[in-house]
Amino acid sequence: MPASEQRTLHRIRVVFLHWVFDETRPRGEGMDGMREGESPASGKGHELLPEDRSALLAFRGGERWALAAVFRAYVPLVRTIVRHGFSGFRGFSNPADQDDMVQTIFAEAFDQRSRMRYDGLKPYSAFLRGMAHNKIRQRLSKDTRFARTDGAPEPSNPSRQTPEEALLEHEQRQIMANFRASITDPVESTVLNQYFIDGIAEESIAKELGITRYRVRKVIAHLHQRMVKRMRECDVLLK
Amino acid sequence: MSSSNEHRAANQLLERYLDPLARWSPKDSKRLTALLAQHESVRRQYDQAIVGHRMMLGLAADTPSALELRRMEAAVVEAASAPVDRVRPWWMAWGSLAAAACAIAVMWLGGLPDTRPSSAGGGGGADWEIRARGGNDNRLPEVGVGATGVTESGREYEAVHSPLFLDDYLRLETRCGHAPFRYVALVGLQPPAGTLIWYYPAKPEGQSVAVTCSDKGARTVLEDEIRVDASHRPGELWILAVFSEKPLNRSQMEAAIRVPSDMQADRPADLTGSAAWRASAEGALKRQGIPAAVQTQTIHIQAGAHREP
């Protein structure tokens, strides 16, 4: 990989990790109160596009590494818009809508015509924000994508309930919340935090723990199995 | 599709979505999106699973984990990246199938080894030659070395009969069917004039590593994954494995293993390539009085990264 690409990816990783750490803070202490204009996507003033010309060219050409770099750099901005809304729209409340909207916006942004439409002069965050607003407006006005065909009732969403309370029974929440405490092995605990939450690469985790990458993957697989088992016990996944 | 079928389909997809070691393709993403779009009950199923998973990680209900973000990134980026990255001609797909079939048929480990039988007897010390069982040299050898390619995302692929990619990782494995020879040293060489690449022992002060042996030929995965581009280049790679009764240190190995330009004296005149390299090492070990079995494996390194199906 050329040195310029490596430098770009390194910079993105730093910004991404910075954001991930912020995201994992309890509500109110991290990103949740952030205004749109303060998106960490810009890395406190830094914009991947158009500042990094090699990334810009590769992005326009649809190169995978550049698309990945742009996704990582700007997903915090898009998630903020989707969760917190804009101009009277209060944001999507449930994960299915949020996750789908984030992917829909990026799919649109990564379409060849959209990539070519970006002039490469203005900050990409402004361009992406405009596109996100349009996409959300379209969704809200059409509302056909979520047309209900199975006769299920409208979901009740009492305003005083947290999403956890709205979705899961008290006992289920208890069991889920206790999972982290059940991980007492220091290696497993580190892998859980660094891999599943912080998004740190297996290789870096292996280096820090002084074990092989293969062993890290074994731990990841083991943790995943335990999580799936617990989710089945709680009827969150089918048995 | 009945409602329960939809739930089962969604459940399968959700399990894969949350499995960090499973591949998540744009096609999977599309299927899940379609189910979510059509069925409110599936959306609730999704929300429960995702929120439950986030709670287990100690995250807020509306905060996706790094794993989820990787999934979203994979689906979006893969669907949008340049077509040349994704589209393979039909003959390549058939070629991959044929290669996979060959790989299964031949067996990866010890498959297509250098077929020259070890030279018998002679030299100093005991008759330590490893031969195929029953003296039939056409059968699989009792020791062997295999190679697996591992992608950045952790997917594994066979790297003996198909190329190993420069941007991936190399993991070595051994097969040992001769109990006394339970230590192995592994060295690589890229002809024609490469330098030695030390896998085991990796450090000058290191020794060969213990492996499992059994009459049926036990397999040992050596867990280190070696970043290929750190010490290799595209082209042929010979891997030489020295199985011994006692651990060998680096100086013993260095005395036995020559680079091609330096091994003329040790090898029989009729041998070339990795077979000559192996013969050279066997001869040198014999002269040192070290009982050992030597095996080589040839793999091909190609630029780029393994393209996941």
Side-chain angles (χ1 to χ4, degrees), chain B residues 158-183:
Chain B
E158 202 275 328
V160 172
H161 304 287
S162 55
L164 171 71
F165 286 88
L166 199 63
D167 293 344
D168 293 337
Y169 295 80
L170 166 66
R171 194 170 66 224
L172 297 167
E173 307 181 24
T174 63
R175 186 190 192 90
C176 179
H178 190 70
F181 290 170
R182 59 195 181 91
Y183 293 93

Short mmCIF file of all heavy atoms in Angstrom, two decimals, chain B residues 158-183:
data_model
loop_
_atom_site.label_atom_id
_atom_site.label_comp_id
_atom_site.label_asym_id
_atom_site.label_seq_id
_atom_site.Cartn_x
_atom_site.Cartn_y
_atom_site.Cartn_z
N GLU B 158 -6.72 -21.85 1.94
CA GLU B 158 -5.67 -22.81 1.65
C GLU B 158 -4.59 -22.11 0.83
O GLU B 158 -4.89 -21.43 -0.14
CB GLU B 158 -6.31 -23.97 0.88
CG GLU B 158 -5.56 -25.25 0.93
CD GLU B 158 -4.49 -25.30 -0.12
OE1 GLU B 158 -4.67 -24.71 -1.19
OE2 GLU B 158 -3.46 -25.90 0.15
N ALA B 159 -3.35 -22.25 1.26
CA ALA B 159 -2.30 -21.47 0.60
C ALA B 159 -1.20 -22.34 -0.01
O ALA B 159 -0.14 -21.83 -0.33
CB ALA B 159 -1.69 -20.48 1.60
N VAL B 160 -1.47 -23.62 -0.15
CA VAL B 160 -0.46 -24.48 -0.78
C VAL B 160 -0.77 -24.64 -2.26
O VAL B 160 0.11 -24.52 -3.10
CB VAL B 160 -0.38 -25.84 -0.07
CG1 VAL B 160 0.53 -26.79 -0.84
CG2 VAL B 160 0.16 -25.66 1.34
N HIS B 161 -2.00 -24.90 -2.57
CA HIS B 161 -2.37 -25.12 -3.97
C HIS B 161 -2.99 -23.90 -4.62
O HIS B 161 -3.35 -23.92 -5.78
CB HIS B 161 -3.31 -26.32 -4.07
CG HIS B 161 -2.72 -27.54 -3.47
ND1 HIS B 161 -1.71 -28.23 -4.07
CD2 HIS B 161 -2.95 -28.15 -2.29
CE1 HIS B 161 -1.36 -29.24 -3.29
NE2 HIS B 161 -2.09 -29.20 -2.20
N SER B 162 -3.15 -22.86 -3.85
CA SER B 162 -3.59 -21.58 -4.41
C SER B 162 -2.69 -20.52 -3.79
O SER B 162 -2.06 -20.76 -2.76
CB SER B 162 -5.05 -21.34 -4.09
OG SER B 162 -5.27 -21.43 -2.71
N PRO B 163 -2.61 -19.35 -4.39
CA PRO B 163 -1.60 -18.39 -3.93
C PRO B 163 -1.85 -17.86 -2.52
O PRO B 163 -2.99 -17.77 -2.06
CB PRO B 163 -1.71 -17.25 -4.95
CG PRO B 163 -2.55 -17.74 -6.05
CD PRO B 163 -3.37 -18.86 -5.53
N LEU B 164 -0.75 -17.54 -1.91
CA LEU B 164 -0.80 -16.79 -0.65
C LEU B 164 -0.63 -15.32 -1.04
O LEU B 164 0.21 -15.00 -1.88
CB LEU B 164 0.36 -17.22 0.25
CG LEU B 164 0.59 -16.40 1.51
CD1 LEU B 164 -0.51 -16.66 2.53
CD2 LEU B 164 1.94 -16.73 2.14
N PHE B 165 -1.43 -14.45 -0.42
CA PHE B 165 -1.39 -13.05 -0.85
C PHE B 165 -0.52 -12.20 0.07
O PHE B 165 -0.50 -12.39 1.28
CB PHE B 165 -2.82 -12.49 -0.93
CG PHE B 165 -3.56 -13.02 -2.12
CD1 PHE B 165 -4.27 -14.21 -2.03
CD2 PHE B 165 -3.52 -12.37 -3.34
CE1 PHE B 165 -4.94 -14.72 -3.13
CE2 PHE B 165 -4.18 -12.87 -4.44
CZ PHE B 165 -4.89 -14.05 -4.34
N LEU B 166 0.16 -11.29 -0.58
CA LEU B 166 1.17 -10.48 0.09
C LEU B 166 0.59 -9.63 1.23
O LEU B 166 1.25 -9.38 2.22
CB LEU B 166 1.85 -9.57 -0.94
CG LEU B 166 3.20 -8.96 -0.58
CD1 LEU B 166 4.24 -10.05 -0.37
CD2 LEU B 166 3.68 -8.01 -1.66
N ASP B 167 -0.66 -9.20 1.08
CA ASP B 167 -1.24 -8.33 2.11
C ASP B 167 -1.89 -9.11 3.24
O ASP B 167 -2.52 -8.53 4.12
CB ASP B 167 -2.30 -7.40 1.49
CG ASP B 167 -1.67 -6.40 0.54
OD1 ASP B 167 -0.44 -6.23 0.60
OD2 ASP B 167 -2.39 -5.80 -0.27
N ASP B 168 -1.78 -10.44 3.20
CA ASP B 168 -2.41 -11.26 4.23
C ASP B 168 -1.37 -11.80 5.22
O ASP B 168 -0.25 -11.32 5.27
CB ASP B 168 -3.17 -12.43 3.58
CG ASP B 168 -4.36 -11.94 2.77
OD1 ASP B 168 -4.85 -10.84 3.04
OD2 ASP B 168 -4.78 -12.65 1.84
N TYR B 169 -1.78 -12.80 5.96
CA TYR B 169 -0.91 -13.41 6.96
C TYR B 169 -0.68 -14.87 6.59
O TYR B 169 -1.52 -15.49 5.95
CB TYR B 169 -1.55 -13.37 8.35
CG TYR B 169 -1.75 -11.97 8.90
CD1 TYR B 169 -2.82 -11.19 8.48
CD2 TYR B 169 -0.86 -11.43 9.82
CE1 TYR B 169 -3.01 -9.91 8.97
CE2 TYR B 169 -1.05 -10.15 10.32
CZ TYR B 169 -2.13 -9.40 9.90
OH TYR B 169 -2.31 -8.14 10.38
N LEU B 170 0.45 -15.38 7.04
CA LEU B 170 0.79 -16.79 6.81
C LEU B 170 0.78 -17.51 8.15
O LEU B 170 1.38 -17.04 9.13
CB LEU B 170 2.19 -16.87 6.19
CG LEU B 170 2.87 -18.25 6.17
CD1 LEU B 170 2.11 -19.21 5.24
CD2 LEU B 170 4.32 -18.13 5.70
N ARG B 171 0.06 -18.62 8.19
CA ARG B 171 0.09 -19.46 9.39
C ARG B 171 0.58 -20.84 8.99
O ARG B 171 0.11 -21.39 7.99
CB ARG B 171 -1.29 -19.54 10.03
CG ARG B 171 -1.20 -20.11 11.44
CD ARG B 171 -2.48 -19.99 12.21
NE ARG B 171 -3.49 -20.82 11.61
CZ ARG B 171 -4.74 -20.44 11.40
NH1 ARG B 171 -5.14 -19.25 11.76
NH2 ARG B 171 -5.60 -21.25 10.85
N LEU B 172 1.51 -21.37 9.74
CA LEU B 172 2.10 -22.66 9.39
C LEU B 172 1.53 -23.76 10.28
O LEU B 172 1.15 -23.51 11.43
CB LEU B 172 3.62 -22.58 9.54
CG LEU B 172 4.28 -21.56 8.59
CD1 LEU B 172 5.72 -21.29 9.00
CD2 LEU B 172 4.24 -22.09 7.16
N GLU B 173 1.48 -24.94 9.71
CA GLU B 173 0.97 -26.09 10.44
C GLU B 173 1.85 -27.28 10.13
O GLU B 173 2.45 -27.33 9.06
CB GLU B 173 -0.48 -26.39 10.02
CG GLU B 173 -1.35 -25.16 10.13
CD GLU B 173 -2.80 -25.40 9.75
OE1 GLU B 173 -3.26 -26.55 9.83
OE2 GLU B 173 -3.46 -24.43 9.39
N THR B 174 1.91 -28.21 11.04
CA THR B 174 2.74 -29.39 10.80
C THR B 174 1.91 -30.65 10.97
O THR B 174 0.87 -30.64 11.64
CB THR B 174 3.92 -29.47 11.78
OG1 THR B 174 3.39 -29.61 13.10
CG2 THR B 174 4.81 -28.25 11.70
N ARG B 175 2.42 -31.70 10.37
CA ARG B 175 1.84 -33.01 10.60
C ARG B 175 2.99 -33.91 10.99
O ARG B 175 4.03 -33.92 10.33
CB ARG B 175 1.20 -33.50 9.30
CG ARG B 175 0.43 -34.79 9.42
CD ARG B 175 0.06 -35.25 8.03
NE ARG B 175 -0.91 -36.32 8.08
CZ ARG B 175 -2.21 -36.15 8.08
NH1 ARG B 175 -2.70 -34.94 8.00
NH2 ARG B 175 -3.03 -37.17 8.12
N CYS B 176 2.82 -34.63 12.07
CA CYS B 176 3.92 -35.47 12.55
C CYS B 176 3.39 -36.86 12.87
O CYS B 176 2.53 -37.02 13.74
CB CYS B 176 4.56 -34.83 13.78
SG CYS B 176 5.91 -35.82 14.44
N GLY B 177 3.94 -37.83 12.19
CA GLY B 177 3.54 -39.22 12.42
C GLY B 177 4.68 -40.06 12.97
O GLY B 177 4.64 -41.28 12.90
N HIS B 178 5.67 -39.40 13.48
CA HIS B 178 6.83 -40.13 14.01
C HIS B 178 7.18 -39.53 15.36
O HIS B 178 7.81 -38.48 15.46
CB HIS B 178 8.00 -39.99 13.02
CG HIS B 178 9.14 -40.89 13.35
ND1 HIS B 178 9.09 -42.26 13.21
CD2 HIS B 178 10.37 -40.61 13.82
CE1 HIS B 178 10.25 -42.79 13.59
NE2 HIS B 178 11.04 -41.81 13.96
N ALA B 179 6.72 -40.22 16.41
CA ALA B 179 6.73 -39.64 17.76
C ALA B 179 8.07 -39.05 18.21
O ALA B 179 8.07 -37.99 18.85
CB ALA B 179 6.23 -40.66 18.75
N PRO B 180 9.20 -39.69 17.95
CA PRO B 180 10.44 -39.09 18.49
C PRO B 180 10.74 -37.70 17.94
O PRO B 180 11.38 -36.90 18.61
CB PRO B 180 11.53 -40.08 18.05
CG PRO B 180 10.82 -41.34 17.72
CD PRO B 180 9.47 -40.95 17.25
N PHE B 181 10.30 -37.44 16.75
CA PHE B 181 10.66 -36.15 16.13
C PHE B 181 9.61 -35.09 16.45
O PHE B 181 8.86 -34.65 15.59
CB PHE B 181 10.81 -36.32 14.62
CG PHE B 181 12.02 -37.11 14.23
CD1 PHE B 181 12.21 -37.52 12.93
CD2 PHE B 181 13.00 -37.42 15.16
CE1 PHE B 181 13.33 -38.25 12.56
CE2 PHE B 181 14.13 -38.15 14.80
CZ PHE B 181 14.29 -38.56 13.51
N ARG B 182 9.58 -34.69 17.70
CA ARG B 182 8.48 -33.82 18.13
C ARG B 182 8.86 -32.35 18.25
O ARG B 182 8.17 -31.58 18.91
CB ARG B 182 7.88 -34.33 19.43
CG ARG B 182 8.83 -34.43 20.56
CD ARG B 182 8.28 -35.27 21.69
NE ARG B 182 9.22 -35.32 22.79
CZ ARG B 182 9.20 -34.45 23.80
NH1 ARG B 182 8.30 -33.52 23.84
NH2 ARG B 182 10.08 -34.55 24.78
N TYR B 183 9.98 -31.99 17.66
CA TYR B 183 10.35 -30.57 17.60
C TYR B 183 10.52 -30.17 16.14
O TYR B 183 11.03 -30.96 15.34
CB TYR B 183 11.64 -30.31 18.37
CG TYR B 183 11.49 -30.52 19.84
CD1 TYR B 183 11.79 -31.76 20.42
CD2 TYR B 183 11.00 -29.50 20.66
CE1 TYR B 183 11.61 -31.98 21.77
CE2 TYR B 183 10.82 -29.71 22.02
CZ TYR B 183 11.13 -30.95 22.57
OH TYR B 183 10.93 -31.16 23.91
#
